[in-house]
Amino acid sequence: MIYEFEGKTEREAIELAASQLGLETDQFDVEILETQSGGLFKKGKVKIRVHTAGNPAAGYPAAGAGISDAEALAKAEKSRAPGRGKGTEERAVKSSLTEAEKLPMDEFETKITQWAAEVVGKMGYPAKVSVLFREEKKIGLKIETDNTSMIIGKKGKNIDALQLLANVFAGTLGRDDIKVILDSENYRIRREESLVRIAYESAEQVRRTGRSILLEPMNPFERRIVHTTLNDIVDIETKSEGEGLYKQVRVMFRGRK
Amino acid sequence: MERDLVEYIVKSLVDDPQAVEIKVIEGEKSTILELKVADTDVGKVIGKNGRIARAIRTILSACANAQSKRVILEILD
């Protein structure tokens, strides 16, 4: 069977082919028909032709078969359906998990969530605060509001300030053994991912140019992520520079020893 | 409104909430909040290296109204 696909890059076109046909990339042959490389302001385009052995299980309409072929379309719909089914299943699992997180709160949890909701509310953003996770000596709170960007602030400035005060407040409740983490729209996870990406990218650049890079100022928690991410890379060294809470991480090339 | 916010935060942090006083001075472009707490609580609202005071000021600047008018927090001792 022969199919045709189009993508911005060769890889994208092949990946599209693989997902549409429900095959692994090594299960078919690829012939590149047309390559338009992208300019500075223009996106490139790659057309490929895919040759498969026999008729694959997925009923993707073959090239030239005509999109109007109702039967092929119906088949394609059907083949995509299981994927969608899996999606709802995953969602169901996720929602039951959050259901579990909504277990009864003890006195401390009630007080701290109320406090956070009250403070954010008084800032002018009506908010709902709930428990996100519980760990030993750690509690995560989730802030839900229409103005998440204001709650998070530039580089998390506002949510970090709120978190600091929440921890001081926890201390006045006699629970300075517990660390309070505030989050909104998964900011913490997103920030961690972007820090790991920044770390790898700067390591790559340092290796290429041989020059060290000084990253933007970060708080201790963020620096720790950068240090631990690059700790395993043998030829890269990291060091914190500067004074105070917000230091900068320097990424350096150590060379192969 | 900013007054309420500061009052709520400060009262939740100090040992003597009764002694918390806030005076609001409205200016044309800015509002000044003068905060007074019990002598023993001054350290609690300022914090090590002014961390807590800075956090309160950061939150003030993130208020919904603060976009149009500057709010300045002064801690009196």
Side-chain angles (χ1 to χ4, degrees), chain A residues 132 183 185-195:
Chain A
L132 186 63
D183 200 356
E185 286 184 3
N186 293 323
Y187 169 73
R188 301 277 172 209
I189 296 166
R190 283 189 284 131
R191 178 75 180 146
E192 193 174 328
E193 279 170 356
S194 88
L195 283 171

Side-chain angles (χ1 to χ4, degrees), chain A residues 36-89:
Chain A
Q36 272 174 30
S37 56
L40 192 53
F41 301 108
K42 204 177 102 230
K43 280 185 181 129
K45 203 172 85 182
V46 176
K47 235 184 199 166
I48 59 166
R49 181 174 284 166
V50 172
H51 301 262
T52 58
N55 197 1
Y60 187 79
I67 308 291
S68 56
D69 190 347
E71 204 184 33
L73 260 179
K75 254 162 122 189
E77 269 308 306
K78 224 167 145 191
S79 73
R80 271 198 292 271
R84 224 177 301 145
K86 202 176 151 213
T88 45
E89 198 177 297

Side-chain angles (χ1 to χ4, degrees), chain A residues 114-115 118-119 122-125 150 157-158 161-162 164-165 168-169 172, chain B residues 1 4-5 8-9 12-13 51-52 55-56 58-59 61-64 67:
Chain A
Q114 271 173 4
W115 181 89
E118 193 79 12
V119 170
K122 283 185 192 297
M123 285 169 74
Y125 313 108
M150 280 310 293
K157 212 176 77 184
N158 299 346
L162 280 170
L164 181 131
L165 293 179
V168 177
F169 178 61
T172 65
Chain B
M1 164 164 143
D4 273 6
L5 174 65
Y8 184 79
I9 294 175
S12 69
L13 303 183
R51 274 170 70 214
I52 296 172
I56 298 174
T58 303
I59 288 170
S61 68
C63 274
Q67 279 11 17

Side-chain angles (χ1 to χ4, degrees), chain A residues 9-30:
Chain A
T9 61
E10 197 184 311
R11 217 175 110 191
E12 208 182 288
I14 294 170
E15 271 165 15
L16 179 76
S19 68
Q20 293 270 15
L21 298 172
L23 293 170
E24 294 297 318
T25 44
D26 55 11
Q27 280 177 297
F28 52 80
D29 294 323
V30 176

Side-chain angles (χ1 to χ4, degrees), chain A residues 200 227-236 254:
Chain A
Y200 280 130
H227 287 307
T228 48
T229 305
L230 297 180
N231 198 19
D232 297 334
I233 301 179
V234 186
D235 57 350
I236 297 290
R254 185 155 53 181

